[in-house]
Amino acid sequence: MRKFWEQYDPTPKSMMLCSAANDVLEVEDRVQVLKTCPPLNGKSVLELGAGIGRFTTELAKVSRNVTAVDFIPAYVEQNKKTNGHFGNVKFLAADVTELELPRKSFDVIFSNWLLMYLDDVEVNNLIIKLLSWVKDGGYLFVRESCYRPSGDVKRDTNPTYYRSSDEYFRCLRGSTYSDHLGQDYVFTCQRAISMEAYIRHYGNPFQLGFVLQKMSHAADSYDSFQAFLDGSQYTEEGIRRYEFIFGKTYVSTGGQTTTQQFVKKLNLKPTDAVLDVGCGIGGSAFHMAREFGVKVHGVDLSTNMINMAIKYQGDMEEAVRKNVSFEMRDITKADFEENSFDVIYSRDTILHIGDKEALFSQFFKWLKPGGKLMISDYCHGDKEEYSTEYTNYVHQRGYHMLKVVDYGHLLETVGFKNVDAQDLTSTFIDILNTEAKRFVSQKEEFLTRFSLQDFEYILEGWNAKVRRCSAGDQAWGLFIAEKPL
């Protein structure tokens, strides 16, 4: 590895292995990486794989102190020349796999293109060290190239491990550190996002940044909602089963058909920016980008959903690849800039969220004046007393649902105007019956991929939805609203 890096001059082009690195790409990439990082102001930062200091300069400007580490002495010297005037930077020439530092010394650990040059054993061992070096509640930022090379600089050899996004989720969250008191700690993933600069310039969604937080094992996310999604309702196998019914890239009612019908109502323009909340595996985002030329940013809490969405994006035509981006994030903890989007769109997702008023207030803030909101969602039926089957179903799933009319009133309460709250339950029943009929006709094909138990589980789920809706317990609503000019 040392021989590999010693052949390159200490320049941005060499650090990025990209001929365009001295141009717009380098600046745009650096800006987004720093924007994705956890809070740095006044923090103690450990920068691993610092190279010639592309990021050291910016880290030093805002952090209390920075320890910049790289294992190529020439790069460390160049970093010193560039950033030695900062009084809060310490420079170390060291191999991170052999580095030893005091426990709980740093608020944030930052690395850009480091783990891809370590094998699996080295990565796992390093993660345990990082857990010991960062303070309790502190953060780790990791940016890596996934799946394939992203640069165009010719290389005679390439000692890089191009892991999948799923492999990074597993290895970053899969190690446990036990301190001297016997307390176990893990990293939990707060955010993962494709770097916009590489999408915009190359249509490459495989440059990913991960934000993780150190938490005690007892307080981590194993019993969280995200764990429920990834480990129960939306395992990769479970998503594939839904795709069989709804169509490739879709996991919501009606698949491509309802997406076309609903999106048509938005009158999208090529200049529009869309936020897709609960984007799943990307079906609606790809449709909007392809048919209307809009830019779509999809957010979902499920790592399995985002992994699959990003892989699908990599297979799309260039125009779609360059107009779509995906992010793993809890939308209730997101904070986009005010007036960022022309449209916010969500399909059958917000039933998972308890404090809808707070979320809708954020939607209102993020939309531009005159912007549109479109949501489809599961709702309570318009009756006073519900069946035991239905109440058990809602409780078991942990859903937070409203009646259609109350949903509409809540949107008005936070400031939306021209709210159109439509009860589409009869349409929902028709779609469910059509999907179930088609599913039964495809039983033999389904059983070549999945089990009989899977078939029976899905069919009963569809039949149960029809029963609940027909009895007036469950409803399906479509909500369209506008932010006033």
Side-chain angles (χ1 to χ4, degrees):
M1 191 66 69
R2 189 181 301 275
K3 289 180 180 178
F4 172 77
W5 281 108
E6 285 177 343
Q7 67 182 307
Y8 296 109
D9 296 329
T11 64
K13 175 181 175 180
S14 296
M15 295 298 95
M16 300 179 74
L17 296 173
C18 178
S19 59
N22 292 317
D23 202 351
V24 178
L25 176 67
E26 193 278 332
V27 175
E28 289 184 3
D29 177 68
R30 179 156 39 88
V31 168
Q32 192 190 8
V33 166
L34 291 167
K35 188 177 180 180
T36 306
C37 281
L40 297 169
N41 287 355
K43 304 297 184 182
S44 179
V45 178
L46 172 63
E47 182 187 8
L48 299 178
I52 62 173
R54 281 183 62 220
F55 292 97
T56 307
T57 305
E58 304 304 324
L59 296 175
K61 289 177 182 177
V62 298
S63 304
R64 184 171 75 254
N65 56 67
V66 180
T67 301
V69 182
D70 201 277
F71 79 132
I72 302 297
Y75 294 171
V76 176
E77 288 305 310
Q78 181 62 48
N79 197 356
K80 283 183 181 179
K81 289 180 183 178
T82 303
N83 297 303
H85 64 284
F86 287 107
N88 61 341
V89 182
K90 177 181 179 181
F91 303 92
L92 289 180
D95 181 342
V96 295
T97 64
E98 300 174 358
L99 187 63
E100 297 295 336
L101 293 168
R103 291 187 303 107
K104 301 184 180 181
S105 300
F106 304 97
D107 299 295
V108 178
I109 299 178
F110 174 97
S111 75
N112 184 71
W113 290 323
L114 171 65
L115 302 187
M116 56 196 276
Y117 297 112
L118 305 179
D119 65 31
D120 290 347
V121 172
E122 290 171 328
V123 168
N124 290 333
N125 290 338
L126 179 60
I127 296 299
I128 294 173
K129 286 186 175 183
L130 301 183
L131 280 164
S132 71
W133 297 340
V134 74
K135 297 175 183 177
D136 297 353
Y139 290 91
L140 168 65
F141 173 82
V142 172
R143 185 274 190 84
E144 300 295 340
S145 297
C146 298
Y147 297 103
R148 59 175 173 80
S150 58
D152 57 1
V153 172
K154 184 178 179 181
R155 288 170 273 189
D156 295 329
T157 60
N158 188 357
T160 313
Y161 297 86
Y162 295 108
R163 298 176 175 91
S164 67
S165 55
D166 184 48
E167 287 175 307
Y168 275 114
F169 277 121
R170 287 201 300 268
C171 72
L172 290 167
R173 300 183 299 180
S175 297
T176 303
Y177 164 71
S178 299
D179 68 10
H180 64 292
L181 298 175
Q183 177 67 59
D184 292 336
Y185 292 92
V186 294
F187 281 123
T188 60
C189 193
Q190 305 294 311
R191 188 181 184 194
I193 186 172
S194 294
M195 295 293 121
E196 177 67 26
Y198 277 83
I199 293 175
R200 193 167 77 83
H201 287 275
Y202 299 117
N204 176 4
F206 300 140
Q207 286 291 324
L208 265 71
F210 303 84
V211 177
L212 302 105
Q213 186 174 23
K214 177 181 176 180
M215 299 182 68
S216 69
H217 193 289
D220 81 359
S221 62
Y222 287 117
D223 294 323
S224 73
F225 177 52
Q226 183 186 61
F228 164 74
L229 292 177
D230 285 336
S232 177
Q233 190 170 5
Y234 295 121
T235 63
E236 185 168 342
E237 185 79 354
I239 294 169
R240 298 290 186 197
R241 293 196 300 262
Y242 285 127
E243 270 192 300
F244 187 92
I245 296 172
F246 298 130
K248 188 174 181 179
T249 75
Y250 288 100
V251 291
S252 57
T253 298
Q256 177 78 3
T257 301
T258 54
T259 297
Q260 290 174 325
Q261 293 169 349
F262 291 172
V263 170
K264 187 177 181 180
K265 300 175 185 290
L266 293 170
N267 298 316
L268 294 171
K269 305 180 298 294
T271 55
D272 285 344
V274 180
L275 176 64
D276 185 354
V277 177
C279 62
I281 53 178
S284 291
F286 298 137
H287 171 74
M288 287 186 274
R290 178 179 296 110
E291 299 301 323
F292 301 94
V294 298
K295 290 193 177 298
V296 187
H297 184 63
V299 178
D300 205 288
L301 184 59
S302 165
T303 61
N304 293 333
M305 294 285 201
I306 293 299
N307 285 329
M308 292 178 68
I310 290 171
K311 283 189 279 188
Y312 279 139
Q313 183 181 357
D315 294 332
M316 296 289 165
E317 62 270 34
E318 183 179 59
V320 174
R321 292 201 314 274
K322 287 187 173 183
N323 276 338
V324 176
S325 59
F326 292 108
E327 178 177 8
M328 190 290 292
R329 198 175 192 182
D330 183 342
I331 193 63
T332 65
K333 298 177 182 177
D335 190 19
F336 297 103
E337 292 182 6
E338 189 172 357
N339 304 331
S340 294
F341 301 100
D342 299 281
V343 171
I344 295 180
Y345 172 95
S346 182
R347 294 293 306 277
D348 304 342
T349 295
I350 297 175
L351 72 162
H352 294 294
I353 296 170
D355 192 349
K356 290 178 173 55
E357 183 172 354
L359 181 63
F360 293 160
S361 295
Q362 289 290 82
F363 287 176
F364 190 86
K365 183 180 81 170
W366 299 338
L367 274 173
K368 298 175 184 178
K372 291 185 178 180
L373 175 69
M374 174 177 279
I375 299 169
S376 73
D377 212 1
Y378 287 13
C379 298
H380 289 315
D382 191 18
K383 57 191 289 190
E384 296 305 317
E385 192 170 327
Y386 301 104
S387 68
T388 301
E389 177 192 359
Y390 176 69
T391 54
N392 288 342
Y393 161 76
V394 173
H395 177 74
Q396 184 266 328
R397 292 296 183 96
Y399 289 163
H400 304 274
M401 294 156 67
L402 300 172
K403 293 181 179 180
V404 172
V405 66
D406 293 334
Y407 213 114
H409 287 160
L410 186 57
L411 289 170
E412 292 174 337
T413 297
V414 302
F416 284 102
K417 302 298 182 184
N418 300 324
V419 176
D420 183 11
Q422 304 176 30
D423 188 330
L424 298 185
T425 308
S426 60
T427 301
F428 188 52
I429 293 172
D430 290 342
I431 294 171
L432 291 169
N433 284 327
T434 299
E435 288 170 341
K437 184 177 180 180
R438 185 174 65 246
F439 183 56
V440 170
S441 72
Q442 296 173 321
K443 179 177 179 179
E444 290 188 12
E445 181 184 352
F446 182 87
L447 293 180
T448 64
R449 307 184 202 178
F450 309 101
S451 70
L452 178 61
Q453 183 180 5
D454 290 333
F455 178 85
E456 293 173 344
Y457 172 79
I458 289 175
L459 187 59
E460 171 52 28
W462 257 238
N463 290 334
K465 288 179 188 177
V466 171
R467 288 196 303 271
R468 292 192 296 267
C469 291
S470 299
D473 288 320
Q474 185 174 337
W476 193 46
L478 178 66
F479 307 92
I480 304 172
E482 297 178 1
K483 178 175 178 177
L485 288 169

